[in-house]
């Protein structure tokens, strides 16, 4: 197999004696050196994409898609981190998957394997002793075995039911030792297969969000206005005949920055904000003591329904002609049932 020349790294100016004695080197990383490294890594990854056998890859993808059991991934060292990550990605996409430690498998964990399962081995060399010891034990459990390797003619590929060759020209490491390109290839391959399976299963945004309830993605697709709104005694409510000055405590104590003006049936009439208070005071002076909330309130406020997605509430607050800090929540007959605030949405992680 041909290879690119190793990245040209100049180690000649490093004071090795200083390093041995606990000192630090003043070796700098030049812009050209860094650019050379990224360009070399790009070339190495392009080699992988150019030479990947799509027939093998398609067969592998179909095996994972059709399995009725669990897809287990295993590996040693850095490949173990990749195997674990790819497994977690599949779990987040609603596939049954798990990481199987080759060491723990030989001390009881192999009991999780069944004839309905697939066991995928991540290994650059295909000669890792721990994985080779695992093969006969996994085969005895009836699982389908797949190796993902980068060295041709390796022993692991010879004892598995299927092998997918992950083309690797060399490692970016100048000594061709540190697994910094092979692990990148493994990760790209595994995550791309995961997306292919996601598409084949027609996974919806809602299903994906259900698997990520604590993340921003999940919250934006799961939480509705009714889940984040203030309710009942938390609402700064008044009647339209109430005097403005009599409602100052209500206006300031509920943390909403407004009053929600309702009729005798609790239907929303309008809103009166702390900004409205300042403007009314400036325009009316002492006459404000005689003004009712109903005389000065906004009778056409933006509102929202309880079943609307919370993320839509934020969009509505930010929409033209000017942003607002809250939205009264009303049902179909305009009855007030809550209020959603910008602060509340941000606090909920939206």
């Amino acid at each position: 197999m041909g290879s690119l020349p190793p990245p040209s790294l100049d180690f000649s100016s490093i004071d090795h004696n200083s390093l041995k004695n606990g000192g630090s080197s003043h070796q700098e990383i030049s812009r050209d050196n860094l650019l050379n490294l990224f360009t070399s890594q790009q070339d190495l990854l392009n080699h992988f994409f150019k030479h990947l056998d799509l027939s093998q890859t398609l067969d592998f993808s179909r095996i994972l898609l059709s399995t009725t059991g669990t897809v287990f991934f295993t590996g040693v060292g850095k490949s173990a981190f990749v195997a674990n990550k790819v497994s977690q990605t599949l779990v987040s996409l609603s596939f049954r998957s798990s990481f199987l430690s080759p060491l723990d498998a030989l001390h009881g964990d192999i009991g999780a394997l069944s004839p309905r399962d697939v066991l995928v081995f991540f290994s650059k060399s295909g000669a890792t002793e721990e994985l080779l010891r695992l093969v006969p034990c996994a085969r005895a459990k009836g699982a389908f075995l797949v190796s993902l390797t980068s060295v041709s003619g390796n022993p692991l590929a010879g004892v598995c039911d299927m092998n997918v060759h992950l083309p690797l020209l060399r490692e970016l490491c100048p000594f061709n030792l540190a697994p910094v390109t092979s692990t990148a290839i493994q990760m790209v391959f595994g995550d791309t297969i995961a997306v292919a399976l996601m598409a084949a299963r027609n996974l919806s945004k809602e299903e994906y969000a259900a698997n990520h309830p604590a993340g921003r993605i999940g919250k934006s697709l799961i939480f509705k206005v009714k889940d984040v709104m203030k309710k009942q005694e938390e609402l700064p409510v008044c009647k339209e005949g109430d005097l403005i000055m009599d409602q100052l405590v209500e206006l300031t104590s509920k943390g909403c920055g407004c009053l929600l003006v309702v009729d005798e049936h609790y239907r929303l009439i309008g809103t009166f904000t702390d900004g409205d208070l300042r403007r009314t005071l400036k325009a009316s002076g002492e006459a404000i003591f005689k003004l009712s909330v109903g005389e000065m309130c906004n009778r056409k406020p933006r509102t929202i329904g309880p079943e609307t997605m919370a993320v839509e509430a934020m969009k509505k607050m930010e929409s033209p002609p000017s942003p607002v800090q809250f939205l009264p929540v009303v049902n179909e007959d305009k009855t007030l049932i809550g209020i959603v605030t910008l602060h509340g949405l941000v606090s909920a992680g939206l």
Side-chain angles (χ1 to χ4, degrees):
M1 178 183 292
S3 64
L4 292 172
S8 54
L9 299 176
D10 181 10
F11 297 106
S12 60
S13 61
I14 296 179
D15 185 351
H16 293 281
N17 289 326
S18 174
L19 292 177
K20 289 179 181 178
N21 295 326
S24 61
S25 169
H26 296 290
Q27 173 79 5
E28 294 293 335
I29 299 177
S30 70
R31 181 183 184 280
D32 288 343
N33 189 26
L34 195 61
L35 178 60
N36 177 55
L37 284 171
F38 278 107
T39 301
S40 296
Q41 184 76 310
Q42 182 181 31
D43 290 339
L44 293 170
L45 293 176
N46 284 340
H47 174 85
F48 162 75
F49 292 124
K50 183 177 180 180
H51 293 90
L52 179 65
D53 188 326
L54 287 181
S55 296
Q56 287 183 347
T57 304
L58 181 59
D59 290 341
F60 173 63
S61 302
R62 288 173 173 170
I63 287 292
L64 299 192
L65 185 63
S66 63
T67 185
T68 58
T70 300
V71 179
F72 288 91
F73 290 86
T74 190
V76 174
K78 307 300 186 295
S79 293
F81 289 105
V82 176
N84 198 7
K85 191 275 177 187
V86 173
S87 175
Q88 290 176 355
T89 297
L90 286 179
V91 170
S92 76
L93 300 177
S94 297
F95 287 85
R96 287 195 298 274
S97 183
S98 183
F99 174 75
L100 183 66
S101 163
L103 177 61
D104 293 338
L106 297 181
H107 291 274
D109 284 5
I110 200 168
L113 283 179
S114 77
R116 299 186 301 120
D117 301 331
V118 175
L119 178 58
V120 181
F121 296 80
F122 272 106
S123 175
K124 171 188 171 181
S125 67
T128 307
E129 184 179 345
E130 295 90 338
L131 298 183
L132 291 171
R133 286 204 305 265
L134 177 58
V135 169
C137 305
R139 187 172 296 286
K141 300 291 290 185
F144 188 86
L145 310 183
V146 182
S147 59
L148 307 178
T149 59
S150 294
V151 176
S152 299
N154 67 80
L156 184 61
V159 294
C160 286
D161 300 302
M162 173 186 291
N163 177 72
V164 179
H165 179 69
L166 305 184
L168 174 67
L169 202 55
R170 58 163 290 118
E171 299 286 0
L172 181 66
C173 166
F175 312 122
N176 196 24
L177 294 175
V180 291
T181 302
S182 56
T183 50
I185 285 171
Q186 291 173 344
M187 190 75 78
V188 167
F189 179 83
D191 282 346
T192 304
I193 294 299
V195 174
L197 297 175
M198 176 184 179
R201 286 273 183 92
N202 294 315
L203 188 76
S204 67
K205 273 189 176 182
E206 290 71 25
E207 290 172 314
Y208 182 80
N211 295 337
H212 300 77
R216 186 168 185 175
I217 294 174
K219 290 177 180 178
S220 68
L221 295 172
I222 294 176
F223 282 11
K224 295 183 178 181
V225 168
K226 65 182 180 181
D227 299 318
V228 296
M229 70 182 185
K230 292 188 175 185
K231 307 170 185 176
Q232 300 172 355
E233 69 278 357
E234 299 177 286
L235 304 182
V237 175
C238 71
K239 300 295 180 62
E240 62 178 326
D242 293 339
L243 293 178
I244 292 175
M245 300 307 292
D246 291 341
Q247 295 300 316
L248 290 184
V249 173
E250 189 74 5
L251 175 62
T252 57
S253 65
K254 298 295 180 67
C256 298
C258 69
L259 291 169
L260 303 173
V261 189
V262 297
D263 64 16
E264 62 273 16
H265 300 295
Y266 224 70
R267 285 191 292 264
L268 183 69
I269 294 174
T271 60
F272 184 82
T273 69
D274 48 13
D276 293 329
L277 175 63
R278 290 191 295 271
R279 287 186 288 271
T280 301
L281 181 60
K282 183 177 181 180
S284 304
E286 293 184 1
I288 193 173
F289 290 96
K290 298 181 180 180
L291 292 175
S292 68
V293 178
E295 291 177 271
M296 305 306 297
C297 71
N298 172 20
R299 291 180 177 263
K300 293 183 178 180
R302 299 179 205 177
T303 62
I304 199 163
E307 296 297 326
T308 306
M309 301 307 296
V311 69
E312 294 300 321
M314 182 170 287
K315 291 179 182 179
K316 193 167 187 178
M317 288 183 192
E318 297 171 345
S319 64
S322 60
V324 296
Q325 299 294 308
F326 66 89
L327 293 172
V329 184
V330 297
N331 61 19
E332 294 178 356
D333 65 355
K334 301 291 185 181
T335 299
L336 179 69
I337 59 175
I339 185 172
V340 59
T341 65
L342 182 60
H343 179 267
L345 292 174
V346 173
S347 297
L350 295 164

